[in-house]
């Protein structure tokens, strides 16, 4: 392991002076190995705070009540799910941190220097979907603020009266405003993004604690019932439902988890990355989960119905200042995670396709434009649609993860020749067959197809495991076939 890291460090130092030797079809300033890695544990902690504390995270956690689980069962499912995410994130972070390269570049070791465009495009398209969903959720907060300050705008928030493609006129204005704001932050580069997320995570915590405290005081602790499901599942019958909830948690984080190498590459050391993951995932998520459960439970006695959307909860408050402050905070938090998880990653992916013509910024703007075309408000409209969306995305993300982990840890034994990631020479370590590795591409295709068969034709309970099915099949196929070919060679 030490030799591998020393080699990676030497390669990065050489790259700082010899970057022109890299094939221009495979590199630009953004894709080249980093010369300096400065991020500390706090930066990764703040990254996960922004991710966890988003409106999407709150809504997804709240949607688990629709499965019929009690509050304590939801809490247990959330904690087990996030612990799995923590372990998987550490695995995917190591290769990028060791080499200082983003996800599409490290994928060249497994898919080939040209074949890496396959996972890059798949991941880029998935990130576009998530970017649109999170932008819509953030824009919904802005709609709440507008209606609170100017009640006369209510008719324009009705898609039936004034709407297009399923979204109201006011919704469109808010969506475009969020779209422009996020693009402005992204355009200022990674350092501005780092500072932005360092602020977002802690800020939303303050508002969440205030919101939970206010609702508990308004309801009275004795009036809060933590059994929120309409249909209560007890005994052993709850076990498969809780497993489904755990799978949904992993599916929700599957995007940021696969993207994590794009940020782990900035870590000063792998120890700093791992420490930030521990603080930001299991420990931070425990506090977040408790806040979600208590806040959702308190909405029932206070408002007479269960509300699992924090923006809707804030909108019910009878204080205009509180509504504006709460909605704006959730909006900022959602913008934070949207930029880091769903803007930065497709920027690398699309830039990887043609580094000399598509810069990192141009790649991000391609993703931003695509996010409007998918009408994301239709992908997150109800708990059932949320779960179906997560299942579908998980079916495609899982195989990409499985191949990357199998190749780096079992096939390559954590040894990467960094310079060969940037060459099209036929004697390069990752040239394979004309720049493509058919084993990795085939394993990804089989894993995704079989996972989607389960999503489309299986039960909703089975579909929740789409990420695990795709990742497991691709992991096994890539490992077995690669080892067999190595022995044959």
């Amino acid at each position: 392991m030490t030799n591998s890291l020393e080699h990676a460090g030497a390669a990065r130092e050489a790259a700082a002076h010899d970057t022109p030797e890299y094939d221009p079809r495979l590199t630009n300033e953004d894709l080249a190995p980093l010369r300096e890695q400065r991020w500390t544990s706090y930066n990764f902690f703040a990254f996960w705070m922004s991710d966890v504390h988003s409106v999407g995270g709150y809504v997804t956690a709240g949607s688990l009540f629709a499965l019929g689980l009690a509050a304590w069962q939801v809490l247990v499912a959330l904690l087990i799910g996030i612990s799995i995410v923590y372990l998987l994130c550490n695995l995917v972070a190591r290769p990028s941190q060791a080499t200082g390269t983003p996800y599409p570049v490290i994928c060249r070791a497994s898919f080939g220097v040209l074949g890496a465009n396959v996972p890059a495009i798949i991941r880029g398209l998935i990130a576009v979907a998530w970017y649109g969903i999170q932008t819509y959720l953030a824009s919904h907060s802005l709609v709440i603020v507008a209606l609170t300050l100017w009640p006369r705008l209510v008719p324009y928030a009705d898609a039936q009266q004034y709407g297009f493609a399923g979204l109201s006129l006011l919704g469109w204005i808010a969506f475009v405003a969020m779209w422009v704001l996020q693009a402005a932050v992204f355009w200022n580069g990674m350092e501005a993004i780092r500072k932005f997320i360092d602020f977002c995570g802690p800020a939303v915590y303050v508002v969440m604690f205030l919101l939970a405290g206010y609702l508990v005081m308004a309801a009275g602790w004795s009036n809060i019932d933590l059994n929120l499901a309409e249909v209560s599942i007890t005994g052993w019958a709850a076990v498969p439902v809780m497993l489904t909830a755990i799978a949904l948690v992993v599916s929700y984080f599957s995007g940021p988890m696969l993207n994590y190498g794009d940020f782990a590459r900035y870590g000063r050391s792998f120890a700093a990355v791992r420490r930030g993951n521990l603080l930001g995932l299991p420990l931070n998520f425990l506090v977040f989960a408790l806040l979600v459960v208590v806040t959702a439970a308190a909405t029932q006695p206070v408002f007479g119905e269960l509300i699992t959307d924090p923006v809707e909860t804030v909108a019910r408050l009878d204080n205009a200042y509180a509504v504006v402050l709460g909605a704006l905070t959730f909006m900022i938090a959602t913008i934070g995670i949207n930029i880091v998880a769903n803007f930065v990653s497709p920027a690398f992916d699309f830039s990887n396709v043609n580094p000399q013509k598509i810069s990192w910024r141009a790649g991000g703007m391609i993703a931003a434009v695509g996010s409007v075309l998918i009408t994301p408000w239709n992908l997150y409209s109800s708990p059932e649609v949320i779960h179906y969306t997560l299942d579908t995305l998980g079916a495609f993300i899982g195989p990409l993860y499985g191949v990357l982990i199998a190749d780096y840890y079992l096939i390559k034994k954590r040894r990467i020749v960094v310079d060969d990631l940037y060459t099209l020479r036929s004697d390069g370590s990752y040239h394979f067959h004309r720049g493509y590795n058919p084993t990795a591409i085939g394993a990804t295709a089989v894993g995704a197809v079989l996972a989607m068969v389960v999503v489309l034709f299986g039960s909703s309970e089975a579909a929740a495991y789409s990420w695990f099915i795709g990742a497991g099949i691709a992991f096994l196929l890539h490992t077995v076939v690669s080892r067999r070919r190595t022995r044959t060679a």
Side-chain angles (χ1 to χ4, degrees), residues 101-157:
T101 59
Y103 171 82
V105 173
I106 201 64
C107 273
R108 295 172 184 174
S110 51
F111 286 86
V113 289
L114 296 178
N117 284 325
V118 174
I121 292 174
I122 293 174
R123 190 186 73 146
L125 294 176
I126 292 172
V128 168
W130 270 121
Y131 181 78
I133 289 170
Q134 294 282 18
T135 301
Y136 164 65
L137 293 173
S139 69
H140 187 53
S141 301
L142 188 57
V143 170
I144 296 299
V145 171
L147 294 178
T148 301
L149 297 177
W150 303 287
R152 294 182 179 180
L153 295 177
V154 170
Y156 300 98

Side-chain angles (χ1 to χ4, degrees), residues 123-202:
R123 190 186 73 146
L125 294 176
I126 292 172
V128 168
W130 270 121
Y131 181 78
I133 289 170
Q134 294 282 18
T135 301
Y136 164 65
L137 293 173
S139 69
H140 187 53
S141 301
L142 188 57
V143 170
I144 296 299
V145 171
L147 294 178
T148 301
L149 297 177
W150 303 287
R152 294 182 179 180
L153 295 177
V154 170
Y156 300 98
D158 185 355
Q160 300 296 327
Q161 297 185 54
Y162 302 93
F164 171 71
L167 189 63
S168 68
L169 175 61
L170 187 59
W172 271 106
I173 295 173
F175 184 87
V176 171
M178 290 300 97
W179 191 93
V180 172
L181 179 59
Q182 290 173 129
V185 175
F186 168 82
W187 200 260
N188 282 288
M190 281 301 298
E191 186 62 19
I193 292 173
R194 182 189 64 80
K195 293 178 180 179
F196 189 78
I197 62 175
D198 283 351
F199 163 77
C200 291

Side-chain angles (χ1 to χ4, degrees), residues 115-443:
N117 284 325
V118 174
I121 292 174
I122 293 174
R123 190 186 73 146
L125 294 176
I126 292 172
V128 168
W130 270 121
Y131 181 78
I133 289 170
Q134 294 282 18
T135 301
Y136 164 65
L137 293 173
S139 69
H140 187 53
S141 301
L142 188 57
V143 170
I144 296 299
V145 171
L147 294 178
T148 301
L149 297 177
W150 303 287
R152 294 182 179 180
L153 295 177
V154 170
Y156 300 98
D158 185 355
Q160 300 296 327
Q161 297 185 54
Y162 302 93
F164 171 71
L167 189 63
S168 68
L169 175 61
L170 187 59
W172 271 106
I173 295 173
F175 184 87
V176 171
M178 290 300 97
W179 191 93
V180 172
L181 179 59
Q182 290 173 129
V185 175
F186 168 82
W187 200 260
N188 282 288
M190 281 301 298
E191 186 62 19
I193 292 173
R194 182 189 64 80
K195 293 178 180 179
F196 189 78
I197 62 175
D198 283 351
F199 163 77
C200 291
V204 75
Y205 244 148
V206 174
V207 172
M208 285 189 67
F209 271 110
L210 291 175
L211 179 61
Y214 170 79
L215 292 175
V216 169
M217 290 179 61
W221 186 255
S222 60
N223 297 321
I224 297 178
D225 183 7
L226 296 181
N227 294 315
L228 304 177
E230 295 181 1
V231 179
S232 179
I233 301 176
T234 59
W236 288 106
V239 174
V241 182
M242 291 181 67
L243 291 176
T244 300
I246 292 169
L248 287 171
V249 172
V250 176
S251 294
Y252 173 78
F253 284 98
S254 61
M257 187 164 58
L258 185 67
N259 301 345
Y260 196 51
D262 295 329
F263 302 93
R265 69 187 293 232
Y266 295 96
R268 289 181 176 177
S269 65
F270 183 67
V273 176
R274 189 170 50 197
R275 193 180 307 114
N277 290 348
L278 178 64
L279 294 172
L281 287 170
L283 300 180
N284 169 59
F285 201 76
L286 172 61
V287 179
F288 172 77
L290 289 171
L291 283 173
V292 169
V293 170
V294 171
T295 303
T299 60
Q300 201 143 1
V302 175
F303 303 117
E305 62 178 311
L306 174 64
I307 305 175
T308 58
D309 186 335
V311 178
E312 293 292 340
T313 303
V314 167
R316 297 290 188 93
L317 301 179
D318 55 3
N319 186 305
Y321 294 105
V323 172
V324 173
L325 175 62
L328 287 177
T329 304
F330 283 118
M331 178 185 72
I332 291 172
T334 303
I335 290 174
I337 183 52
N338 209 17
I339 291 174
V340 298
N342 305 315
F343 212 148
V344 171
S345 296
F348 283 123
D349 292 330
F350 296 137
S351 178
N352 186 74
V353 174
N354 194 329
Q356 296 306 308
K357 293 185 178 180
I358 304 177
S359 66
W360 181 70
R361 286 183 171 86
M365 297 313 296
I366 291 173
V369 173
S371 69
V372 181
L373 302 179
I374 63 170
T375 62
W377 42 88
N378 295 319
L379 300 178
Y380 239 60
S381 56
S382 70
E384 292 76 16
V385 175
I386 290 172
H387 294 171
Y388 184 79
T389 300
L390 293 177
D391 296 339
T392 302
L393 296 178
F396 286 94
I397 294 176
L400 300 181
Y401 184 93
V403 169
L404 175 63
I405 298 304
D407 191 80
Y408 181 71
Y409 289 95
L410 300 183
I411 308 303
K412 301 295 191 301
K413 306 295 185 182
R414 296 194 297 190
R415 294 182 179 180
I416 299 294
V417 183
V418 177
D419 289 342
D420 282 5
L421 296 172
Y422 298 90
T423 180
L424 283 171
R425 296 193 317 268
S426 59
D427 61 344
S429 303
Y430 313 116
H431 188 74
F432 297 106
H433 180 68
R434 297 181 180 180
Y436 296 86
N437 183 2
T439 301
I441 296 173

